[in-house]
Amino acid sequence: DIQLTQSPPSLSASVGDRVTIICRASQTITSYVAWYQQKAGKAPRLLIHSTLSLQSGVPSRFSGSGSGTDFTLTISNLQPEDIATYYCQQSYRSPQTFGQGTRLE
Amino acid sequence: QVQMQESGPGLVKPSETLSLTCLVSGDSLTYYYWTWIRQSPGKGLEWIGNIYYTGTTDYNPSLKSRVTMSVDTSKNQFSLKLSSVSSADTSVYFCARHASRLYFDYWGPGILVAVSS
């Protein structure tokens, strides 16, 4: 299975900050990465797919980049409603796998 | 707008079979892959498997021997069966749409299934 390692596991930030979350794959996954936001007690919400494509309805302060094995999710101008856990996911090879999550506090 | 809703028992006894159904509204099952994902309390997300509207399946090898998925296009729903459950299978189970087999764009709210005698 392809392992996805997210860093940091948790981070503390303030409103207005720029936040970057890293997802590193155990082998190349080209551009088949998606990012999800999960709030407590809720289902994950798709933010970005195919590395950098913003899902419809997602604020433009969310952006994605990367290629190969290293990918990033950036939240610019952090808002209070962005407090959540964020997961990356690869679809390059089955089984689909997720990172362990980054808790944003 | 696609909406999805999981249903099934919230409590299953050890060694028995967990059975869940996901009802899809707002779109047809046709031409999409449909997925089950679970999340153990306080832990991350685990992909269980996919089913195409034709019935073709792809299961996570770690669960393959115990998983069966099926689809009912007439009722616009798909189902999961997980046999020989143990406490390790206690999780929130989500159904989702697997768009282009690349990402999960619509999710159900999830259903907590506890395995306990």
Side-chain angles (χ1 to χ4, degrees):
Chain A
D1 298 2
I2 295 176
Q3 307 300 319
L4 298 180
T5 302
Q6 288 183 232
S7 60
S10 66
L11 70 97
S12 183
S14 300
V15 172
D17 282 355
R18 180 184 180 90
V19 169
T20 297
I21 299 169
I22 295 170
C23 178
R24 178 160 290 166
S26 58
Q27 59 186 271
T28 184
I29 53 176
T30 62
S31 63
Y32 296 121
V33 167
W35 291 92
Y36 301 85
Q37 175 194 66
Q38 187 178 32
K39 296 184 178 180
K42 301 292 188 181
R45 172 197 181 196
L46 175 67
L47 298 175
I48 288 169
H49 66 86
S50 307
T51 299
L52 48 74
S53 297
L54 197 65
Q55 177 68 354
S56 176
V58 174
S60 59
R61 63 180 180 274
F62 291 92
S63 63
S65 64
S67 65
T69 60
D70 295 327
F71 299 86
T72 60
L73 172 70
T74 300
I75 311 171
S76 59
N77 189 22
L78 189 72
Q79 296 299 300
E81 60 266 31
D82 299 335
I83 298 305
T85 299
Y86 292 84
Y87 294 93
C88 58
Q89 172 247 328
Q90 68 81 23
S91 55
Y92 179 73
R93 180 170 293 139
S94 186
Q96 320 288 318
T97 50
F98 293 85
Q100 81 281 14
T102 294
R103 174 177 280 188
L104 180 54
E105 300 168 338
Chain B
Q1 178 77 351
V2 176
Q3 293 188 310
M4 306 178 70
Q5 181 68 54
E6 306 89 350
S7 62
L11 181 64
V12 181
K13 290 183 168 56
S15 79
E16 295 190 344
T17 296
L18 177 160
S19 296
L20 297 174
T21 296
C22 181
L23 179 65
V24 179
S25 58
D27 200 359
S28 166
L29 295 187
T30 307
Y31 302 127
Y32 286 105
Y33 290 86
W34 303 92
T35 289
W36 290 98
I37 292 165
R38 70 180 183 178
Q39 185 171 36
S40 301
K43 294 193 177 180
L45 299 158
E46 180 180 28
W47 175 75
I48 299 171
N50 273 356
I51 186 164
Y52 194 44
Y53 78 102
T54 58
T56 301
T57 55
D58 181 19
Y59 300 146
N60 192 322
S62 67
L63 297 167
K64 187 173 185 176
S65 63
R66 299 193 291 130
V67 171
T68 303
M69 293 183 185
S70 59
V71 62
D72 186 338
T73 54
S74 67
K75 295 181 179 178
N76 226 46
Q77 64 186 34
F78 61 103
S79 299
L80 167 71
K81 291 187 186 299
L82 181 66
S83 64
S84 305
V85 298
S86 69
S87 58
D89 296 309
T90 292
S91 294
V92 176
Y93 287 77
F94 297 100
C95 60
R97 190 175 79 172
H98 198 187
S100 305
R101 284 204 293 176
L102 294 178
Y103 49 88
F104 307 107
D105 57 351
Y106 291 100
W107 297 65
I111 183 169
L112 175 61
V113 179
V115 178
S116 174
S117 55

